[in-house]
Amino acid sequence: MTKIAQIQDRGATVAWSPIQAFADVIALGAKDSGSIGFDSSGGALELFDLGITSSLAKPRVMGSVKTTSRFSSIGWTPGTTQLRSNPKFTMGLIAGGMDDGTVNIWNPKSIIIKDKTDNSSSALLSTIERNSGAITALQFNPHGDSANLLATGSSQGEILVSSLENPIQPTVTIPSDAHSSSTSNNAGITQLAWNPEVAHIIASAAGNGVVTIWDLRQNKPWCELRVEVSGAPVSDVKWNPVNGMHIITASGDDRSPVLKLWDLRASMSMPLATLEGHQQGIMSMDWCPHDETLLVSCGKDNRTILWDVHTLQSIAELPNDEVKHEVNASASSQELYGSAMPSGLSSSQQKRYSVKWSPIRRGILSTCSFDRKVQAHSVLGVATKSGRPPKWMKPASGVSCSFGGTILSFGTAHKTLTLATHVEQPKLKKLVELFEAATANSDYAGFSANKAVEFANERDPYEAQFWGFMQLMFDANARQSLLEYLGFDAQQISDKASEFKENEIDMSKLSLESKAAMPMSTNAKNIVKRALLVGNFEAAVDCCIHAGNFSDALVLASCGGSELWAKTQHEFFASEAKKRPYLSIVSSVIHQNFGDFVAASDPAKWQETLAMICTYSSQDEYRSLCEALGDHLESVGDMPNASVCFLCAMNLEKASKYWLHQLESTKTDVFEDECIALHKFAMKCDIFLQATGGNNETLPREVSHVLYRYAKILADQGLFQSAAKYCKSDSQDCKELMDRLYRCKDSQLCVQAMGLTPDFPFEYINVGVAPVSSVAAPNQAVHTSKGTMQQSTFPEASSKLPSKSKMGTRNGYSSSNNGYSNGAGFQQQQYTQPTTQQQSFSSQQQQYSQQQQQYTQQQYTQQQQQGVYSQYGAQGQQQMHVEMQQNDLQLPSGWMALQDPASGLTYYANQSTGETTWDKPVMQQSQTPVRTAQETLLTSTSKLASKYGDGFVTSASHPGLAAQYGNVGTSNPYSDSSRPGTAVFNKVEKPPVSGTFNVKKLSQVADSTEYKSTIEDLLASVTSLSALPLGPSETKHLSEVQKAVAIFSKRLANGDMESDVAVNVTQIVSCMKNKDFVNATTIHTSLVNGYWKQHKDWLKGFKFLIQMNAKFFQSSRSQQDQWAM
């Protein structure tokens, strides 16, 4: 505990201010006159500012008043709401129980003002006079609505309850005439305590050892607790601040100085618990209002103890001031015995007779002692000694934010957790919800039409035109509707043409010469005539063209063959198209050269060009021509209209260029505007994809990235399902968002919106078990000499190896792996049964393993060598190295000498084959060259290292080896006393293949294999089965079939399939197509018998595939020409 303030030379009783603005203020009621003489019986009421939270060097007197009598007790109340609303009583009321039996009521605000202004007006409001002895107990009601009630108890046993609703004229009542109580016997009241939960219940402690619980509504005692059977006084009583049925009493008897905790629901004759710690009678105690587990008490034994009511143990003891024993010989009697002496005569004078907690300052309490000191102490430092933080250190409220704007909060008002979603962009959320509601019935055409009208009213021509075109894309006869939208109504045009023919010049009245474009000369006519007579139509046509008479030229060309007709048409259009623009359309239609027409068209008249494309182009040409028109417009800078043409071409990549340009141009510092722009972009993409039936694979990268940004914002607003719909990017961030959506509270809806269960976004990496230098270094040492990796193991180190009984397993890997393997393939042979087995590894795995193995070996070799030198010294290291080199020089190529850590014996290992033996291999005269040990070592462990990335591979860390050979945790390379054979490294299983069935992805997989037709037939079969009405069991079997087809296809594409297995599956598919299910079953059975272990992940599903096809074929025999595939 820490002393934070002290007031010297004050023998007083204390009351803390209950006003928040004056939380550091205390009221001192003097219990003595402060003088040496006997001629004064008066006292004083003083207000001190302790300056706990301010920069005061010492407590400051704020105001004081003289009293005619001394204080026996004091209390301070904030008053009721009505009283506090009066500006005169903003500091509440102070009541003092005096020695002469009176109760005085003061206004503390007037005391302060009087001290500042020296106003003679009295701060005393009223006095309650009773001739019943000193007022030894006084307490205000703590309940806000009843804060005007003041309870007082006298030394003669009288209890008064006064109402200070009008503090100038108090109303006094006596509950049940305490004098007549049979149990009181005029015993003095030592303390009063109001119940913290029930405002009309009050407890009184008496000098005869009885505590009475009063019910003021019934105006009689509710019960009596005979606390002290011996009749010793109960010095104090307090209620649990949070439980109105728990009360604690303090005994002033030196023979039994205990605190008794009572549960009024359980017993009124036996306490619930007893707190023992004081050696003499307890004088005062107080229950902490901010933490019901803390209690403080002081006693005659000069101890002030802080208790933990929860454990019924003392936490700490408030220390006393250090006593100075040196006395100045020349000191006066005033200095020796006077009250001004700072330290007192002995420690007994420091006995504390009063302790009180501050009602506002948490962890602060006051004490009054017989050496005339008033002190303030902080228990913040020692309150945690109970093993848990004080209640005031616990957060009164808390909040935790989660994915999607989810906020989990709690507070003090309710003992509940509140789960809410905070929406940062309410406008965006409203727009999204409106969009989802408008398109919930899949009426995308109606939605587009409404948007077109909306933007037309807003005078936004491009957006109105865009949504108008978008509406047409959902029309069954989109091209005809597009013509009408562009203003080319066929019926209206026909009507106008008809009206024009009827109202213009009468052609029947014109001569032939007037109808001709240009009259021909007589010479020209003769040449044409003579050419016709000899059958030379080409010369006749040329003469007509030269004469400018294209009408006769066309007529004559029609009789001269197709070549002449085409030539004449070309000349006609070349000459007349500039004069009559519509002829260019005719020329394009006749010659089917729409591409040239689009390239030469007028960008300002793009709508006419688009109409011509709609009218005359074929279905195959339509999109390419619309795209060409868009490129033409884009080249001249007309991006808005170009995007509309790209829209007609159903080219999202090019159409979105202008949308992206719009999005970039709307970027501002206001995030809300950017969100709205993203929403407009996403709406266009969504409706476009609905119109074109597009999917994730067709989205341009820029578009999918923008949609991811939009999805992220929607997820932050808690719109998980809507966000999942726009997760179409293949970026890592988008994959992580999809995974979070998959795991959120709306998981099923999100998966439905995404269309598939997303893959886990992170790569699984087995980090293995790191070597422990303190164990591994003494056990092993690796040396590199002449390109050969050599290993030495000292017998002395075997004692440090963990025994089998101490092995543990953590996360699927045996803990015995620590400190044993360093990534070298042969090191695990010290602890595994030697046998022989050939291994095959792919070139890709081998290359990766070699790189990683080289790094691991180099790094770990340095660590081990350092450990060996440190334990055995340089001399032992050198000797060991020489011995191993001599052994290796006498061995055939590929063999190396190793040392068993358990027995210390030498055995030999072949790094090429993995063979180990106790017999020393004999050098052959002629021996087939083999690879170096370094190359063999890196190759032989490449596959293991590729799975266990750090190369730490033993049977302890590899469950497959352990299960097969049963040597988990042994450091002996053999299982019995006989010599072992060859060491076997179990082939590492490849990671499982995903069984997710996605037709489009599997179709892409089929493209990468020569068995494309087989996979396509399987996909067609599964798709056909999915469309049939299935029962519960059949649905389950179909799920197995889909999984099997997916796994088979992916393994086949990855090259993880034997050729004969692939051929047999092709035969199964062929048999099913031919309705030969018997042979299909036979082939499947042979595969199960021969390849079940390698391909059990898909063979079971193929069995269901054959059975389901056979079943539905039998049920639909009438439709022999249809195959369930």
Side-chain angles (χ1 to χ4, degrees):
M1 298 184 186
T2 304
K3 182 173 66 175
I4 57 178
Q6 177 173 291
I7 302 174
Q8 294 276 7
D9 196 22
R10 293 293 189 280
T13 182
V14 174
W16 283 89
S17 168
I19 310 299
Q20 181 67 42
F22 301 92
D24 294 345
V25 178
I26 60 173
L28 299 185
K31 296 177 69 71
D32 54 34
S33 63
S35 64
I36 299 177
F38 300 94
D39 56 348
S40 176
S41 61
L45 173 61
E46 297 175 293
L47 300 184
F48 277 86
D49 183 0
L50 298 180
I52 298 174
T53 58
S54 63
S55 58
L56 292 178
K58 61 180 182 179
R60 174 178 61 89
V61 178
M62 300 178 65
S64 63
V65 291
K66 294 292 184 178
T67 61
T68 59
S69 179
R70 300 172 185 173
F71 284 80
S72 292
S73 55
I74 191 172
W76 196 336
T77 179
T80 60
T81 305
Q82 182 179 0
L83 181 70
R84 291 195 301 270
S85 63
N86 190 333
K88 296 181 179 179
F89 301 106
T90 55
M91 292 185 67
L93 300 173
I94 293 178
M98 316 307 289
D99 283 350
D100 59 1
T102 61
V103 178
N104 295 328
I105 310 299
W106 286 278
N107 182 359
K109 185 175 182 180
S110 299
I111 296 176
I112 296 177
I113 295 175
K114 173 183 178 296
D115 188 71
K116 289 182 178 180
T117 61
D118 198 19
N119 193 335
S120 59
S121 61
S122 175
L124 182 64
L125 299 176
S126 60
T127 299
I128 302 173
E129 296 183 357
R130 302 290 295 183
N131 296 320
S132 56
I135 306 300
T136 53
L138 180 149
Q139 191 181 47
F140 280 102
N141 195 306
H143 298 273
D145 296 338
S146 304
N148 60 308
L149 297 180
L150 173 65
T152 58
S154 70
S155 58
Q156 296 182 8
E158 182 183 54
I159 299 176
L160 302 178
V161 177
S162 305
S163 174
L164 303 181
E165 187 172 354
N166 182 2
I168 300 177
Q169 294 180 347
T171 303
V172 181
T173 59
I174 303 176
S176 186
D177 192 3
H179 284 294
S180 63
S181 175
S182 60
T183 61
S184 64
N185 295 323
N186 294 330
I189 303 299
T190 57
Q191 191 57 270
L192 296 171
W194 291 92
N195 189 281
E197 291 185 340
V198 183
H200 59 272
I201 299 295
I202 188 173
S204 64
N208 59 356
V210 176
V211 172
T212 305
I213 311 299
W214 299 87
D215 184 349
L216 298 183
R217 284 187 177 180
Q218 301 293 330
N219 200 28
K220 64 180 181 180
W222 182 76
C223 73
E224 288 185 347
L225 302 177
R226 296 190 175 273
V227 178
E228 301 296 333
V229 180
S230 62
V234 178
S235 59
D236 210 340
V237 62
K238 289 292 184 293
W239 292 95
N240 187 322
V242 297
N243 190 333
M245 298 303 289
H246 286 177
I247 193 171
I248 194 166
T249 60
S251 173
D253 189 358
D254 293 343
R255 295 168 297 178
S256 179
V258 296
L259 298 168
K260 296 181 181 179
L261 177 63
W262 303 79
D263 186 348
L264 301 183
R265 298 166 298 184
S267 174
M268 298 180 189
S269 59
M270 182 174 294
L272 180 66
T274 301
L275 281 72
E276 300 180 355
H278 286 282
Q279 303 301 320
Q280 298 182 39
I282 300 171
M283 304 186 69
S284 177
M285 69 172 179
D286 199 12
W287 211 323
C288 181
H290 303 111
D291 188 347
E292 67 277 9
T293 64
L294 296 179
L295 182 79
V296 64
S297 64
C298 61
K300 301 175 186 177
D301 55 356
N302 199 22
R303 300 181 65 191
T304 303
I305 301 175
L306 182 66
W307 300 88
D308 182 0
V309 181
H310 182 75
T311 61
L312 303 178
Q313 299 293 327
S314 61
I315 301 175
E317 185 173 341
L318 190 66
N320 294 317
D321 292 338
E322 183 180 355
V323 179
K324 296 181 180 180
H325 298 285
E326 296 181 0
V327 180
N328 189 352
S330 61
S332 64
S333 60
Q334 174 71 17
E335 293 173 336
L336 287 174
Y337 304 105
S339 60
M341 186 173 179
S343 59
L345 294 176
S346 67
S347 61
S348 63
Q349 283 189 308
Q350 299 183 35
K351 292 180 181 178
R352 299 181 176 97
Y353 57 83
S354 175
V355 288
K356 286 188 178 180
W357 293 96
S358 168
I360 299 177
R361 299 296 182 204
R362 294 173 293 188
I364 304 298
L365 58 87
S366 66
T367 62
C368 300
S369 58
F370 288 109
D371 60 353
R372 308 188 75 246
K373 292 179 183 177
V374 176
Q375 297 175 336
H377 304 266
S378 172
V379 300
L380 297 178
V382 298
T384 56
K385 289 186 177 181
S386 62
R388 60 183 180 278
K391 194 172 183 180
W392 63 77
M393 289 186 178
K394 298 177 183 178
S397 60
V399 62
S400 178
C401 300
S402 182
F403 175 61
T406 303
I407 298 177
L408 185 66
S409 61
F410 66 91
T412 55
H414 305 284
K415 295 181 180 179
T416 57
L417 293 174
T418 303
L419 187 65
T421 300
H422 175 68
V423 179
E424 293 181 292
Q425 302 295 331
K427 186 176 180 180
L428 173 64
K429 182 178 181 181
K430 183 177 180 181
L431 290 175
V432 173
E433 290 174 345
L434 291 175
F435 174 64
E436 297 290 346
T439 58
N441 58 354
S442 300
D443 184 14
Y444 302 107
F447 174 79
S448 300
N450 293 334
K451 297 298 291 184
V453 174
E454 176 186 340
F455 284 108
N457 295 333
E458 294 179 1
R459 301 185 181 277
D460 190 337
Y462 170 75
E463 293 295 333
Q465 178 179 260
F466 168 83
W467 288 107
F469 272 74
M470 188 67 76
Q471 176 191 358
L472 301 176
M473 296 179 68
F474 294 95
D475 200 313
N477 191 4
R479 294 173 69 167
Q480 182 62 38
S481 301
L482 179 57
L483 282 173
E484 295 177 1
Y485 184 81
L486 292 173
F488 299 100
D489 190 319
Q491 185 61 42
Q492 291 181 359
I493 294 174
S494 177
D495 293 343
K496 286 186 178 181
S498 176
E499 293 173 1
F500 177 81
K501 184 177 181 180
E502 293 175 356
N503 299 332
E504 294 296 331
I505 301 173
D506 187 0
M507 298 296 292
S508 61
K509 297 180 180 181
L510 297 177
S511 63
L512 292 176
E513 289 77 5
S514 62
K515 294 179 181 180
M518 289 185 64
M520 293 180 62
S521 63
T522 303
N523 186 28
K525 292 178 181 179
N526 290 332
I527 295 174
V528 171
K529 180 179 179 181
R530 293 172 66 85
L532 293 175
L533 290 175
V534 297
N536 191 347
F537 284 94
E538 184 175 0
V541 169
D542 289 341
C543 184
C544 290
I545 291 175
H546 294 155
N549 191 353
F550 277 101
S551 58
D552 290 347
L554 291 171
V555 173
L556 295 175
S558 64
C559 301
S562 59
E563 292 184 4
L564 181 60
W565 172 250
K567 176 183 176 182
T568 307
Q569 281 184 333
H570 178 73
E571 293 289 341
F572 172 73
F573 288 125
S575 175
E576 300 297 321
K578 294 181 180 180
K579 302 175 184 178
R580 289 170 284 179
Y582 61 85
L583 290 178
S584 60
I585 300 176
V586 179
S587 176
S588 299
V589 173
I590 293 174
H591 299 99
Q592 294 293 302
N593 57 346
F594 299 115
D596 296 339
F597 176 81
V598 171
S601 63
D602 185 0
K605 299 180 180 179
W606 66 272
Q607 293 177 326
E608 295 180 0
T609 306
L610 184 59
M612 192 275 291
I613 295 173
C614 290
T615 304
Y616 295 105
S617 66
S618 65
Q619 188 66 29
D620 296 335
E621 296 176 317
Y622 177 73
R623 293 188 181 181
S624 61
L625 290 173
C626 289
E627 184 175 344
L629 178 58
D631 292 335
H632 183 51
L633 295 178
E634 192 176 50
S635 65
V636 297
D638 190 0
M639 292 184 63
N641 292 326
S643 68
V644 174
C645 295
F646 292 135
L647 189 69
C648 297
M650 296 187 178
N651 190 327
L652 179 60
E653 182 176 4
K654 292 188 175 182
S656 61
K657 287 183 180 179
Y658 182 65
W659 308 345
L660 292 170
H661 172 73
Q662 285 181 306
L663 185 62
E664 292 297 324
S665 62
T666 56
K667 278 191 174 181
T668 62
D669 295 336
V670 181
F671 184 65
E672 183 181 40
D673 295 340
E674 183 179 353
C675 293
I676 302 303
L678 282 171
H679 174 68
K680 292 180 179 179
F681 179 90
M683 278 198 309
K684 292 176 182 178
C685 293
D686 191 6
I687 300 300
F688 180 90
L689 292 176
Q690 296 296 336
T692 60
N695 51 40
N696 297 1
E697 286 77 5
T698 63
L699 287 181
R701 186 176 184 85
E702 296 80 2
V703 174
S704 62
H705 180 67
V706 173
L707 291 181
Y708 158 72
R709 287 168 49 199
Y710 179 66
K712 182 66 171 62
I713 294 175
L714 293 186
D716 291 340
Q717 315 309 312
L719 301 173
F720 298 135
Q721 185 179 5
S722 300
K725 193 166 64 171
Y726 298 100
C727 291
K728 301 178 182 296
S729 173
D730 58 353
S731 65
Q732 179 65 22
D733 291 339
C734 187
K735 291 178 181 178
E736 293 177 13
L737 177 60
M738 293 173 67
D739 184 70
R740 297 193 73 178
L741 293 172
Y742 170 66
R743 302 174 192 279
C744 73
K745 60 184 180 68
D746 297 334
S747 176
Q748 295 183 353
L749 297 176
C750 291
V751 172
Q752 182 180 357
M754 289 186 286
L756 75 164
T757 300
D759 295 330
F760 189 66
F762 303 104
E763 179 183 359
Y764 288 98
I765 298 178
N766 190 332
V767 298
V769 182
V772 180
S773 58
S774 61
V775 177
N779 292 345
Q780 302 176 5
V782 181
H783 312 282
T784 303
S785 176
K786 299 181 181 180
T788 302
M789 183 69 67
Q790 300 181 354
Q791 173 179 315
S792 299
T793 306
F794 295 95
E796 295 84 356
S798 61
S799 61
K800 295 187 178 182
L801 300 177
S803 63
K804 186 174 182 179
S805 62
K806 296 181 180 179
M807 292 296 183
T809 301
R810 184 182 297 122
N811 298 332
Y813 301 97
S814 174
S815 61
S816 63
N817 199 30
N818 292 339
Y820 285 78
S821 299
N822 68 344
F826 274 100
Q827 287 179 330
Q828 66 176 356
Q829 295 177 6
Q830 300 175 24
Y831 318 109
T832 56
Q833 178 70 26
T835 53
T836 303
Q837 181 178 350
Q838 292 294 99
Q839 302 181 20
S840 60
F841 308 102
S842 64
S843 59
Q844 181 178 3
Q845 289 176 324
Q846 183 174 352
Q847 180 180 5
Y848 170 77
S849 178
Q850 289 175 354
Q851 296 173 355
Q852 183 166 345
Q853 196 75 5
Q854 290 172 0
Y855 171 79
T856 305
Q857 293 288 359
Q858 181 179 2
Q859 183 183 35
Y860 193 64
T861 298
Q862 297 174 358
Q863 297 176 357
Q864 286 188 315
Q865 288 177 348
Q866 292 174 0
V868 170
Y869 278 114
S870 62
Q871 181 168 349
Y872 297 99
Q875 184 177 0
Q877 169 69 12
Q878 183 177 3
Q879 181 180 358
M880 178 203 67
H881 197 156
V882 171
E883 292 175 357
M884 298 304 295
Q885 281 186 338
Q886 291 176 353
N887 288 331
D888 289 345
L889 293 175
Q890 300 171 5
L891 296 175
S893 177
W895 287 88
M896 62 183 299
L898 302 174
Q899 202 164 22
D900 175 38
S903 63
L905 301 178
T906 302
Y907 69 99
Y908 304 90
N910 190 316
Q911 299 180 79
S912 301
T913 63
E915 181 183 1
T916 59
T917 177
W918 293 102
D919 295 330
K920 184 176 180 180
V922 179
M923 178 77 72
Q924 301 293 333
Q925 296 297 328
S926 60
Q927 191 173 12
T928 305
V930 295
R931 295 176 296 174
T932 64
Q934 177 72 14
E935 295 172 346
T936 304
L937 179 62
L938 295 177
T939 304
S940 63
T941 59
S942 60
K943 195 165 188 177
L944 290 174
S946 65
K947 180 174 183 179
Y948 300 93
D950 58 356
F952 282 75
V953 183
T954 67
S955 60
S957 63
H958 188 246
L961 288 174
Q964 186 171 356
Y965 303 112
N967 57 349
V968 177
T970 177
S971 61
N972 197 334
Y974 51 92
S975 59
D976 51 26
S977 59
S978 61
R979 292 182 177 180
T982 56
V984 176
F985 292 87
N986 189 25
K987 183 178 180 181
V988 179
E989 296 182 0
K990 296 183 177 180
V993 180
S994 171
T996 304
F997 185 80
N998 187 310
V999 176
K1000 294 182 180 179
K1001 288 187 176 181
L1002 293 177
S1003 299
Q1004 295 176 354
V1005 170
D1007 294 337
S1008 62
T1009 176
E1010 58 181 324
Y1011 297 96
K1012 177 179 179 181
S1013 60
T1014 301
I1015 297 178
E1016 289 179 344
D1017 289 340
L1018 288 171
L1019 296 178
S1021 176
V1022 175
T1023 304
S1024 179
L1025 289 173
S1026 303
L1028 297 175
L1030 302 176
S1033 61
E1034 294 167 341
T1035 302
K1036 182 178 180 181
H1037 290 168
L1038 178 61
S1039 176
E1040 291 288 340
V1041 170
Q1042 292 175 338
K1043 177 181 177 181
V1045 171
I1047 294 175
F1048 170 79
S1049 303
K1050 294 175 182 178
R1051 291 186 61 176
L1052 186 62
N1054 294 334
D1056 187 21
M1057 189 72 63
E1058 296 83 349
S1059 59
D1060 54 342
V1061 174
V1063 171
N1064 285 337
V1065 173
T1066 302
Q1067 294 175 356
I1068 291 175
V1069 173
S1070 178
C1071 290
M1072 287 194 295
K1073 292 179 68 173
N1074 296 326
K1075 312 299 184 292
D1076 187 2
F1077 299 107
V1078 175
N1079 282 333
T1081 303
T1082 302
I1083 298 172
H1084 179 268
T1085 302
S1086 66
L1087 284 175
V1088 171
N1089 294 333
Y1091 297 94
W1092 174 255
K1093 184 176 180 180
Q1094 299 92 325
H1095 302 290
K1096 59 184 177 181
D1097 51 352
W1098 58 269
L1099 280 173
K1100 180 180 178 181
F1102 269 65
K1103 176 183 177 181
F1104 293 141
L1105 176 64
I1106 298 172
Q1107 292 176 348
M1108 294 181 71
N1109 274 287
K1111 176 180 179 180
F1112 285 106
F1113 171 72
Q1114 295 295 334
S1115 62
S1116 59
R1117 186 178 292 274
S1118 59
Q1119 300 178 356
Q1120 295 283 335
D1121 56 331
Q1122 295 184 1
W1123 180 47
M1125 303 283 286

